[in-house]
Amino acid sequence: MTGPKQTLQTTESRAPSRGRRRTRADEQRDDTERTQDEREVCPECGTDAITDDEHGETVCGDCGMVLEEDLVDHGPEWRAFDSREKNEKSRVGAPTTQMLHDKGLSSVIDWQNKDAYGSALSPRKRQKMQRLRTWDERFRAQSARDRNLKQALGEITRMASALDLPDNVQETASVVYRRALEDDLLPGRSIEAMATASLYAAARQANVPRSLDEFAPVSRVDRREFARAYRYIVKELDLALEPADPLDYLPRFCSELAVPNELKHRAEELLEAGKRQSVHSGKSPVGLAAAAIYAASLLTDEKLTQREIGEAADVSEVTIRNRYKELLQADEEFQQTPQATA
């Protein structure tokens, strides 16, 4: 009787042992998660902790208490001191982007006719690589939707480069065009018009001031056509766009004209006074910004002609003459209000 009982006890003792090992693993995982949560706040003063990647430490941002040291660096093991060295040592591809029709997930054959050692290819191999590039381009855009996206996103990149727009505007424009394509808004409208409208809407969303007149020279379609496409996109996609502010155009025009800061500040004050008096309602923000610069130049005794300002802002001299008088009158009326005297 003793032998079987001992065997039974041994078997029963092993089963809970395996159960305890699983429980310990869970407890260790929970302890690790609790430890990570505790690292975010200093236990002494309750201030948020700061991770110093350079020294491999987590320290309190207030009292300086070291919460953890010898952190693991999850970055690359190599160092690079310029962009060329970084590209040579990097072993990963570019991140995904909305600016490519396949979001950058497909492979691209390099245009350089060199092998892995940097040696030039023979004429026969160069001819073979050229054929492979051609087939690679065809396979990357097989469907009609991919070909549409490829052409449109190429137009967006070209126009954004010509207008010196940042990458975030290009990304937003690509997303807007993809939404228009998914909602089947393109039938009956040209790809170029919808691409231009998407880029203009993205610039408006990012508060990067560009007027429709600035898009006209770089677009492949007529101004009236892409303006109609822009209104259609805003309505169908329900884009939340605020009216263009003349103050957004002012820094760029002042930079092109190389005006002093005093003139720039005075022009901002004129535009603010004009907005309080509702002078900007129904008028072009570009014309108002140009008129504010001219009016400020008269008030600060700076020698700026209407022609110089008109060429920088791409507006006519007649527009500047009409608008600057309205801004000066609005500023004079605002100075007489109790709000200005207070």
Side-chain angles (χ1 to χ4, degrees):
M1 296 296 293
T2 306
K5 288 183 180 180
Q6 291 178 351
T7 305
L8 180 60
Q9 291 176 358
T10 306
T11 307
E12 291 176 352
S13 63
R14 288 177 181 175
S17 177
R18 286 194 296 267
R20 282 196 297 273
R21 282 200 296 270
R22 287 196 298 270
T23 304
R24 288 169 186 166
D26 296 337
E27 290 177 354
Q28 290 177 358
R29 190 159 48 247
D30 295 338
D31 292 339
T32 303
E33 293 176 357
R34 284 196 297 269
T35 305
Q36 291 177 351
D37 295 337
E38 292 173 357
R39 290 173 191 164
E40 298 178 357
V41 180
C42 177
E44 294 293 332
C45 60
T47 308
D48 292 340
I50 300 174
T51 301
D52 187 356
D53 296 328
E54 184 178 356
H55 298 89
E57 296 177 345
T58 301
V59 298
C60 175
D62 189 13
C63 64
M65 177 181 179
V66 179
L67 305 180
E68 188 178 2
E69 58 183 354
D70 298 331
L71 296 178
V72 178
D73 185 7
H74 297 281
E77 81 284 358
W78 45 264
R79 299 175 63 187
F81 300 97
D82 53 24
S83 59
R84 182 186 62 82
E85 189 176 359
K86 181 179 179 180
N87 293 332
E88 290 178 353
K89 292 184 176 181
S90 179
R91 298 186 293 272
V92 296
T96 57
T97 175
Q98 297 287 343
M99 293 186 289
L100 297 175
H101 72 281
D102 54 3
K103 298 184 180 180
L105 297 176
S106 62
S107 59
V108 181
I109 300 178
D110 193 9
W111 61 270
Q112 295 182 353
N113 292 317
K114 295 182 179 180
D115 58 11
Y117 300 98
S119 304
L121 299 178
S122 63
R124 185 175 180 179
K125 287 186 177 181
R126 283 201 302 268
Q127 186 178 7
K128 181 179 179 180
M129 292 302 300
Q130 186 60 37
R131 288 198 304 269
L132 290 175
R133 292 190 190 99
T134 303
W135 281 108
D136 181 60
E137 288 293 326
R138 292 175 181 175
F139 280 115
R140 287 177 62 196
Q142 293 186 12
S143 64
R145 183 180 183 276
D146 288 341
R147 290 193 294 270
N148 186 313
L149 268 178
K150 185 177 180 181
Q151 180 181 351
L153 299 182
E155 280 293 302
I156 290 175
T157 302
R158 181 188 63 82
M159 290 185 292
S161 177
L163 294 172
D164 196 21
L165 294 174
D167 290 341
N168 65 313
V169 175
Q170 297 184 48
E171 288 275 356
T172 305
S174 303
V175 174
V176 171
Y177 188 87
R178 288 176 186 272
R179 287 184 57 192
L181 185 61
E182 291 174 358
D183 292 352
D184 201 22
L185 303 181
L186 268 71
R189 292 167 180 81
S190 66
I191 296 176
E192 291 80 5
M194 297 296 284
T196 308
S198 301
L199 186 60
Y200 178 69
R204 290 281 299 273
Q205 283 186 330
N207 293 326
V208 179
R210 293 294 186 274
S211 63
L212 287 173
D213 294 331
E214 294 179 82
F215 275 83
V218 300
S219 179
R220 300 185 189 274
V221 294
D222 185 66
R223 181 186 186 277
R224 183 179 300 178
E225 184 177 353
F226 68 74
R228 190 184 303 115
Y230 165 71
R231 292 191 294 269
Y232 180 67
I233 284 180
V234 172
K235 178 182 178 181
E236 294 297 328
L237 298 182
D238 195 19
L239 299 179
L241 297 176
E242 297 181 357
D245 193 345
L247 287 170
D248 294 336
Y249 293 87
L250 197 62
R252 182 158 58 93
F253 295 159
C254 291
S255 177
E256 293 180 6
L257 294 169
V259 299
N261 290 331
E262 181 184 1
L263 190 151
K264 179 182 175 182
H265 295 324
R266 192 68 183 93
E268 292 176 352
E269 294 174 356
L270 289 173
L271 288 176
E272 291 289 351
K275 290 170 64 177
R276 293 188 181 95
Q277 301 298 326
S278 300
V279 175
H280 67 294
S281 179
K283 297 180 176 62
S284 170
V286 180
L288 285 174
I293 295 175
Y294 180 71
S297 67
L298 298 178
L299 297 176
T300 56
D301 295 330
E302 292 288 338
K303 294 181 180 180
L304 281 177
T305 63
Q306 296 177 3
R307 178 177 296 180
E308 293 175 344
I309 300 175
E311 291 176 353
D314 196 17
V315 296
S316 65
E317 300 176 27
V318 178
T319 302
I320 295 177
R321 282 196 294 270
N322 293 335
R323 297 293 174 264
Y324 95 88
K325 295 176 183 178
E326 297 175 357
L327 287 175
L328 290 177
Q329 183 179 357
D331 183 64
E332 183 178 355
E333 293 175 355
F334 175 70
Q335 296 299 331
Q336 297 174 359
T337 60
Q339 183 180 1
T341 56

